[in-house]
Amino acid sequence: MDSLVVDHPLAASLLTILRDERSDNAAFRHALRRLTQMLIYEAVREAPVEQFDVRTPVAVTTGVRLKQPPLLVPVLRAGLGMVEQAHALIPQAQVGFVGLARDEETFEPVPYLESLPGDLSGLPVFVLDPMLATGGSMVQTLDMLVSRGATDITAVCVVCAPQGVETLAASGHPVRLVTAAIDAGLNDAKYIVPGLGDAGDRQFGPR
Ligand SMILES: O=P(O)(O)OC[C@H]1O[C@H](OP(=O)(O)OP(=O)(O)O)[C@H](O)[C@@H]1O
Ligand SMILES: O=c1cc[nH]c(=O)[nH]1
Ligand SMILES: [Mg+2]
């Protein structure tokens, strides 16, 4: 599986704000939006473009646009904090929604929303979820996308555990990973260590 860890001083300082337990909900959401901008920027770097004529006030020149904007798929709740910024960068993108909540005892994702186009063949998809911990939620999301024909998926995550990266790679799904960090591991509650806590709670409060 191709993976890219975005290694940049500005990304690292935003990640530090997310990690800091003193950051309140508003500060966390603000830093997540700004870091998402950098992750999406890098995720799009190799995207195919098409050229077209554009007239400046002076002459006709060659313009560029994305050949095919990706479908953005935030995984609720935590992915909601990434979608507005991703959409601002790629305004032509359409948006689908997946809702999953990890069971706190079994750590298995429980699906509660699947709002996606019926046919995803030929359409690039960006899955937005800040946390890749065990990888269970991401693999379940990929199952939904691949069953609709998706063959070109990018998982855009803020923090990953090595276990989640391995699970994603072993899933066999057509996915690449763009992230800001791969942390040391998981604790007994399957939280990423050092991580940033519960990315849903830190944006919206406890559920
Ligand atoms: O890799 P995993 O072990 O599956 O864990 C990662 C999942 O956990 C978090 O969601 P959570 O279930 O806490 O829901 P929330 O976004 O509503 O808080 C996170 O946003 C991922 O979706
Ligand atoms: O560290 C973790 C693991 C799962 N979900 C989160 O929000 N954080
Ligand atoms: Mg949560």
Side-chain angles (χ1 to χ4, degrees):
M1 178 180 68
D2 282 350
S3 60
L4 171 69
V5 180
V6 175
D7 183 15
H8 190 285
L10 294 178
S13 55
L14 288 167
L15 179 56
T16 302
I17 295 170
L18 294 175
R19 291 195 194 278
D20 190 336
E21 65 176 5
R22 296 169 302 177
S23 300
D24 65 11
N25 293 166
F28 188 96
R29 290 193 305 268
H30 187 243
L32 179 58
R33 278 199 300 275
R34 291 172 61 207
L35 182 51
T36 298
Q37 182 160 12
M38 297 175 195
L39 296 177
I40 295 293
Y41 187 83
E42 291 301 333
V44 172
R45 185 177 286 280
E46 309 281 335
V49 294
E50 61 188 11
Q51 299 184 335
F52 63 102
D53 285 347
V54 61
R55 182 180 296 278
T56 78
V58 179
V60 173
T61 186
T62 303
V64 165
R65 61 188 163 216
L66 288 184
K67 206 167 204 166
Q68 193 157 35
L71 176 75
L72 304 175
V73 180
V75 179
L76 278 52
R77 288 175 306 165
L80 277 180
M82 302 176 74
V83 69
E84 186 187 337
Q85 194 60 53
H87 216 183
L89 283 173
I90 315 173
Q92 321 87 314
Q94 297 190 335
V95 182
F97 298 87
V98 167
L100 298 173
R102 218 171 60 157
D103 183 300
E104 300 297 346
E105 281 167 16
T106 64
F107 310 117
E108 290 297 318
V110 180
Y112 59 87
L113 176 69
E114 187 172 347
S115 177
L116 297 165
D119 181 10
L120 297 177
S121 48
L123 187 63
V125 181
F126 282 12
V127 181
L128 310 175
D129 191 333
M131 311 307 283
L132 181 72
T134 66
S137 301
M138 186 59 75
V139 169
Q140 191 159 130
T141 302
L142 299 185
D143 291 343
M144 294 177 195
L145 297 169
V146 168
S147 72
R148 288 170 154 80
T151 55
D152 175 7
I153 304 172
T154 303
V156 183
C157 302
V158 171
V159 182
C160 304
Q163 294 91 327
V165 178
E166 279 165 28
T167 300
L168 209 55
S171 72
H173 285 319
V175 63
R176 72 185 174 120
L177 174 67
V178 176
T179 186
I182 298 177
D183 276 7
L186 296 170
N187 66 14
D188 290 345
K190 307 290 186 207
Y191 274 84
I192 300 174
V193 182
L196 46 75
D198 187 300
D201 292 3
R202 294 206 59 196
Q203 293 177 73
F204 306 117
R207 67 173 162 85

